[in-house]
Amino acid sequence: MNVFRLTHITTSLHSGSRMVVKNVCCIGAGYVGGPTCSVIAWKCPDIRVHVVDKSQARIKQWNSDKLPIYEPGLDEVVKECRGRNLFFSNDIDQAVREADLIFISVNTPSKTYGIGKGRAADLKHIELCARKIAEVAEGHKIVVEKSTVPVRAAESISHILSANTKPGVSYQVLSNPEFLAEGTAIENLVNPDRVLIGGEESAEGEAAVGELTWIYHHWVPQHKIITLSTWSSELSKLASNAFLAQRVSSINAISALCEATGADVSQVAYAVGKDSRIGSKFLQASVGFGGSCFQKDLLNLVYIAECLNLHEVAMYWQQVTDMNEYQRTRFAKRIIGCLFNTVTDKTLAVFGFAFKKNTGDTRESPAIFVCSHLLEEGARLNIYDPKVERQQIESDLTSARATSEPERVEKLIHIYTDPYQAVTDAHAIVILTEWDEFKTYDYKKMLSVMKKPAFLFDGRKILDHESLINLGFHTETIGKRFTRNTLLRSSGGDL
Ligand code: UDX
Ligand code: ADP
């Protein structure tokens, strides 16, 4: 961290030389832009926040009682601020024109075409935003890159802006990556571990960093605000997600060893996490990580390393995503193996489709991969998730990425709103998301309406497996092998 710059910024904040940000605009009303700007509006009643999006449907939802994303605490924040100093609209031009500071929070998916296909980040949405800003902006604007983007993306934004600058218009581009995790977004925004602000190393750049710092100062203590170079800021975001994903892949790799040797991955994770240098967070073995960031950012890191001829670095991070693929496939194969090597025409009740609990988001959800594998083998799936909409599940499982036979898949999937109905006549229950409500179900009642032997595959390690075995379920979970004696109890000596 550059202490000189930080001191300089703090001084300028108190010297009265600031431009005073009164209007903030955010382009992109998604999982990042929506919650982030809602919290800014909530914590900064003196700032007017205008969130815009090209999608009319999305904005309509932000202005309704049913917000487009499910996030604990978000409804309350939006209700308090909407119409006061928080506004949602499709009027991108007006919002950009009025704003002193513009966040770009549009999606940056992996490219699905051309050079870097499947790995490089697709910057077309970011580029369109930069061109739009250049087209309509007046006066001085601070443009803040908030989407996860490859290193040096801020440079591309600056390039587009400066190549199209009109007289009387000037820009400063900052990087301010978002570290919110879905399901805990409001908590993460209100009490962040740190806020990164990357800017150009010039007086103008430092002044812009000072303006954004001032916004965060409304609720974030100074020691948590880290200022650094734009490139370091961008790379820190990719590196943080890569490190987190690596922890999940590491414990998942150990889970395979546990299953093969009889060790229990929960015990191993506990023991390993007790080392204060390692720490206990993010050591929950699972069916694999999902979400819009981990896979995309890892592949992006791999692509950047390859482009820089750093092959060993690329191969190192590639392994983290390969291990994730291995874990998902391994779990699906284990289900098939346990069900006497065939799931054709068998009914499996799937609990959970979101990539983690407390969100309705299914992007890169391990559920999509496990379900697709089972569908490929001819299984009928009764799917229940407390928050994911029916259409989302259907479109995820019938998309070109998931299957080459969408009509066949459509016939094999049934979406339920009641988990007890989903298990009726099912051969097995498969848990793919760690929703708390799954722990509260009456599994005795479920067992009574299932086909026997009834199987339960816990891909999230959330249930009490001994109790399930005692009830009579043949139970399988990640990173633990039940002894033959335990399983004999569940089958009444029939193994
Ligand atoms: C992540 C980062 O945490 C966040 O900082 C960044 O801004 C965006 O990407 P998110 O993807 O929303 O956030 O959720 P996260 O809690 O990180 O979980 C990602 C995936 O890893 C989920 O599928 C989760 O179930 C899985 N996971 C997480 C595990 O399997 N085990 C763990 O111990 C932790
Ligand atoms: P993230 O998880 O990064 O927030 P989302 O897909 O949830 O991604 O949200 C991104 C939002 O950005 C979408 O609502 C999309 O309509 C919007 N968007 C993408 N490109 C533009 C653009 N050029 N102008 C305005 N909005 C855009």
Side-chain angles (χ1 to χ4, degrees):
M1 180 172 62
N2 186 332
V3 179
F4 164 74
R5 292 187 57 210
L6 201 57
T7 317
H8 174 86
I9 289 160
T10 316
T11 313
S12 77
L13 281 174
H14 298 298
S15 66
S17 60
R18 303 192 34 252
M19 75 185 255
V20 184
V21 173
K22 287 202 186 71
N23 285 296
V24 165
C25 154
C26 173
I27 310 181
Y31 282 91
V32 172
T36 307
C37 284
S38 299
V39 168
I40 291 179
W42 185 38
K43 294 289 179 184
C44 310
D46 51 335
I47 297 176
R48 188 176 186 278
V49 181
H50 192 165
V51 183
V52 288
D53 200 289
K54 63 180 182 184
S55 159
Q56 294 200 343
R58 202 159 244 210
I59 290 299
K60 207 169 155 203
Q61 285 177 301
W62 277 108
N63 283 320
S64 75
D65 285 338
K66 191 170 185 298
L67 302 184
I69 58 179
Y70 171 71
E71 193 60 66
L74 179 64
D75 276 21
E76 291 79 357
V77 173
V78 171
K79 263 187 200 127
E80 188 175 328
C81 306
R82 198 171 52 194
R84 183 190 74 186
N85 64 330
L86 175 64
F87 303 89
F88 296 93
S89 88
N90 295 112
D91 198 343
I92 302 175
D93 291 16
Q94 190 198 346
V96 167
R97 217 173 283 124
E98 287 173 355
D100 307 305
L101 185 144
I102 303 158
F103 286 109
I104 301 184
S105 295
V106 295
N107 38 332
T108 50
S110 298
K111 277 184 81 175
T112 52
Y113 52 87
I115 298 170
K117 180 179 171 188
R119 298 178 311 155
D122 191 341
L123 293 187
K124 70 174 180 222
H125 301 299
I126 299 247
E127 185 178 334
L128 281 173
C129 289
R131 292 191 186 280
K132 170 58 75 182
I133 294 168
E135 182 194 323
V136 298
E138 292 162 4
H140 181 65
K141 305 283 181 203
I142 299 171
V143 178
V144 185
E145 157 209 89
K146 216 167 205 346
S147 321
T148 302
V149 284
V151 184
R152 303 214 167 191
E155 200 177 39
S156 311
I157 297 175
S158 289
H159 198 89
I160 292 170
L161 292 174
S162 57
N164 293 283
T165 302
K166 296 173 292 198
V169 182
S170 58
Y171 304 100
Q172 271 300 314
V173 179
L174 304 178
S175 157
N176 174 220
E178 190 49 75
F179 291 103
L180 62 82
E182 287 175 33
T184 53
I186 301 298
E187 204 180 305
N188 301 149
L189 285 160
V190 170
N191 190 17
D193 285 345
R194 79 303 207 185
V195 171
L196 298 192
I197 304 182
E200 186 186 291
E201 306 217 359
S202 65
E204 293 81 8
E206 288 177 9
V209 170
E211 297 300 330
L212 187 55
T213 305
W214 173 77
I215 294 181
Y216 282 108
H217 257 175
H218 282 72
W219 78 98
V220 181
Q222 175 68 54
H223 70 269
K224 286 190 174 181
I225 302 178
I226 302 170
T227 59
L228 60 180
S229 80
T230 314
W231 304 338
S232 300
S233 170
E234 291 175 329
L235 186 57
S236 301
K237 166 75 184 195
L238 288 187
S240 298
N241 277 343
F243 273 53
L244 289 169
Q246 181 201 43
R247 275 177 79 93
V248 179
S249 276
S250 296
I251 199 66
N252 283 344
I254 299 295
S255 78
L257 268 177
C258 289
E259 286 162 36
T261 59
D264 180 342
V265 75
S266 300
Q267 293 179 358
V268 176
Y270 181 77
V272 170
K274 276 290 170 193
D275 185 325
S276 58
R277 293 167 302 176
I278 298 173
S280 60
K281 291 182 181 165
F282 260 72
L283 287 181
Q284 173 72 29
S286 68
V287 58
F289 60 73
S292 69
C293 286
F294 282 3
Q295 173 83 352
K296 183 187 77 176
D297 289 355
L298 275 167
L299 293 179
N300 197 199
L301 202 56
V302 169
Y303 183 69
I304 290 169
E306 272 178 9
C307 290
L308 295 168
N309 276 328
L310 301 170
H311 299 299
E312 285 74 10
V313 177
M315 272 160 52
Y316 176 77
W317 289 111
Q318 180 65 44
Q319 273 300 310
V320 176
T321 153
D322 290 351
M323 181 53 62
N324 200 44
E325 169 74 39
Y326 167 72
Q327 186 76 348
R328 298 184 303 217
T329 311
R330 208 167 67 79
F331 189 66
K333 283 187 175 161
R334 193 159 155 210
I335 295 172
I336 297 164
C338 286
L339 290 172
F340 315 105
N341 281 327
T342 176
V343 287
T344 311
D345 291 333
K346 286 183 180 158
T347 302
L348 278 63
V350 173
F351 286 178
F353 202 79
F355 81 95
K356 63 188 279 197
K357 73 173 179 179
N358 292 336
T359 177
D361 194 354
T362 63
R363 286 179 290 180
E364 300 295 332
S365 177
I368 302 175
F369 297 89
V370 172
C371 289
S372 296
H373 197 116
L374 297 171
L375 289 164
E376 189 69 24
E377 296 286 328
R380 284 190 302 265
L381 301 183
N382 291 353
I383 304 172
Y384 166 75
D385 186 285
K387 285 290 169 203
V388 181
E389 307 280 348
R390 163 188 294 272
Q391 300 90 311
Q392 188 62 51
I393 298 176
E394 285 169 352
S395 91
D396 283 340
L397 292 177
T398 56
S399 71
R401 202 176 153 202
T403 181
S404 53
E405 301 172 287
E407 292 86 11
R408 189 179 73 88
V409 165
E410 245 168 52
K411 290 192 194 113
L412 291 173
I413 54 175
H414 303 275
I415 319 295
Y416 284 79
T417 51
D418 175 359
Y420 291 89
Q421 279 181 9
V423 298
T424 304
D425 288 331
H427 293 78
I429 296 173
V430 180
I431 296 184
L432 296 179
T433 311
E434 73 280 24
W435 286 102
D436 288 337
E437 67 169 65
F438 298 165
K439 297 183 207 163
T440 66
Y441 292 169
D442 182 347
Y443 284 96
K444 194 173 174 188
K445 189 172 158 193
M446 290 189 169
L447 181 69
S448 70
V449 295
M450 289 176 67
K451 288 232 182 333
K452 310 293 179 315
F455 289 77
L456 191 145
F457 301 93
D458 183 357
R460 292 293 185 160
K461 298 178 71 62
I462 51 168
L463 300 183
D464 177 350
H465 303 126
E466 294 290 326
S467 306
L468 289 166
I469 289 167
N470 287 334
L471 280 179
F473 273 106
H474 179 116
T475 309
E476 296 280 331
T477 191
I478 303 276
K480 186 171 179 174
R481 200 175 61 187
F482 294 105
T483 60
R484 191 170 160 76
N485 279 349
T486 326
L487 292 175
L488 271 173
R489 258 186 286 142
S490 73
S491 64
D494 233 11
L495 275 182

